[in-house]
Amino acid sequence: MRRRSFIKFLLSTPLGRLISGLLFTGAAAGVLYLDMQKTDVRRSEGALKAILLPYPKLSGLVSVEEALANRRSIRDYTEEPLTLEELSQLLWAAYGVSETRYGLRTAPSAGAQYPLELYALVGTNGVKTDKGYLAPGIYHYDPHSHSITLLKQGDFREDLYYAALEQRWVLTAPVSLIFTAVYSRTVRVYGERGRVRYVPMDLGHAGQNVYLQATALGLGTVAVGAFNDEEVARILGLSERETPLYIMPVGRPASRYRLSEKELIDYIEKHRRR
């Protein structure tokens, strides 16, 4: 009876709503703090040397409107490598930090649980640096230090190509970004709904970020969901806690798509006359 009266007080009075708001804010901050302090799924990375990426840029030459208009799924790439600056910008846009008090990310996440992990599979001569090329291999991205750690050295594009049911763009792209999910981070708060609804939403947000940033950089990508989960997990060396969700090959488009305002207006007018 006392519990019911207390809940009624919290919901029906200004003071109660203020108290409940403060309690909720404190609880949310506590969850965020614990998440930032938790042991990462890549436990072995502590002994490995992180590669510090160039700082992300917060302005560019392409507007959001232009990126939206010209975003397409690109499957044909030239042999030209990405630059380390471009890889840095893509990783930040995908899942980097965009708020510095709690370490919130560029992509929204249900309850700020951030269930996704991000990897870059780099091919031979796939990423150009000021000293040559980034070593081919599988890298894990740390958004808080904006760095990558080499987990496995070697060109694993052919392995990923076969795991992705021989989709050739996985083989020919100089880099593939791979998203995985640690479902337990979201399930612990939202139960099964977190697994079937909220984590896929999180992935969609982050994936679109990659599309738009790639377009703004003059690059191309395509979201690949058809692959053998067990094989991709083996290639990345994932634990049972992680599930691969997306492969996004990235490269320089063999041909560019461009939408003009006139084309768009003509299309809209045509459909208005129907």
Side-chain angles (χ1 to χ4, degrees):
M1 193 70 179
R2 289 180 181 175
R3 183 183 299 173
R4 188 179 302 170
S5 298
F6 180 67
I7 293 173
K8 185 177 180 181
F9 164 73
L10 289 178
L11 295 176
S12 62
T13 68
L15 179 59
R17 287 195 291 270
L18 175 61
I19 292 172
S20 62
L22 291 172
L23 289 172
F24 176 80
T25 302
V31 169
L32 285 169
Y33 176 79
L34 289 173
D35 277 357
M36 290 172 67
Q37 300 301 317
K38 68 178 180 288
T39 302
D40 195 88
V41 292
R42 311 303 310 191
R43 291 187 181 88
S44 61
E45 283 187 41
L48 302 176
K49 185 177 179 180
I51 298 171
L52 304 180
L53 295 169
Y55 295 126
K57 289 182 169 58
L58 302 187
S59 62
L61 301 177
V62 176
S63 69
V64 173
E65 294 83 357
E66 289 176 281
L68 286 167
N70 295 305
R71 182 220 63 80
R72 298 266 72 82
S73 290
I74 305 296
R75 296 175 174 83
D76 294 312
Y77 312 110
T78 70
E79 295 182 359
E80 190 177 351
L82 272 62
T83 66
L84 189 62
E85 288 76 13
E86 289 168 336
L87 177 62
S88 165
Q89 196 68 27
L90 284 167
L91 292 170
W92 176 80
Y95 220 50
V97 169
S98 60
E99 188 272 351
T100 57
R101 184 176 183 184
Y102 296 118
L104 304 180
R105 311 290 180 84
T106 54
S109 174
Q113 295 306 298
Y114 301 114
L116 305 181
E117 294 289 331
L118 183 55
Y119 299 82
L121 189 151
V122 177
T124 302
N125 296 340
V127 175
K128 190 168 180 57
T129 72
D130 56 359
K131 297 179 181 179
Y133 292 92
L134 198 63
I138 296 169
Y139 294 82
H140 177 246
Y141 176 56
D142 174 19
H144 298 289
S145 63
H146 191 57
S147 65
I148 53 176
T149 301
L150 179 61
L151 303 179
K152 296 172 68 176
Q153 188 162 350
D155 192 334
F156 293 93
R157 286 181 297 176
E158 187 171 352
D159 295 44
L160 193 64
Y161 161 72
Y162 286 115
L165 313 180
E166 300 184 26
Q167 297 178 72
R168 60 180 174 77
W169 33 94
V170 175
L171 180 63
T172 57
V175 174
S176 280
L177 302 185
I178 305 172
F179 285 97
T180 70
V182 182
Y183 283 108
S184 59
R185 294 178 189 164
T186 304
V187 170
R188 69 186 175 187
V189 178
Y190 297 107
E192 191 60 20
R193 187 178 181 84
R195 180 185 300 275
V196 301
R197 173 98 32 116
Y198 297 150
V199 171
M201 286 179 177
D202 282 19
L203 178 65
H205 301 320
Q208 181 72 342
N209 282 4
V210 175
Y211 264 113
L212 294 179
Q213 183 67 82
T215 303
L217 292 172
L219 304 172
T221 188
V222 58
V224 174
F227 53 79
N228 183 302
D229 289 22
E230 291 75 18
E231 275 300 295
V232 174
R234 181 190 63 78
I235 293 166
L236 296 181
L238 302 181
S239 72
E240 293 182 357
R241 293 180 58 199
E242 277 186 89
T243 303
L245 296 181
Y246 248 178
I247 300 171
M248 298 189 75
V250 185
R252 301 195 185 282
S255 61
R256 300 253 180 115
Y257 174 81
R258 287 289 181 268
L259 175 69
S260 69
E261 285 192 18
K262 182 179 185 307
E263 285 178 294
L264 181 58
I265 292 168
D266 287 348
Y267 177 89
I268 292 171
E269 286 298 321
K270 176 183 175 181
H271 285 77
R272 286 180 176 179
R273 290 194 294 268
R274 285 184 175 179

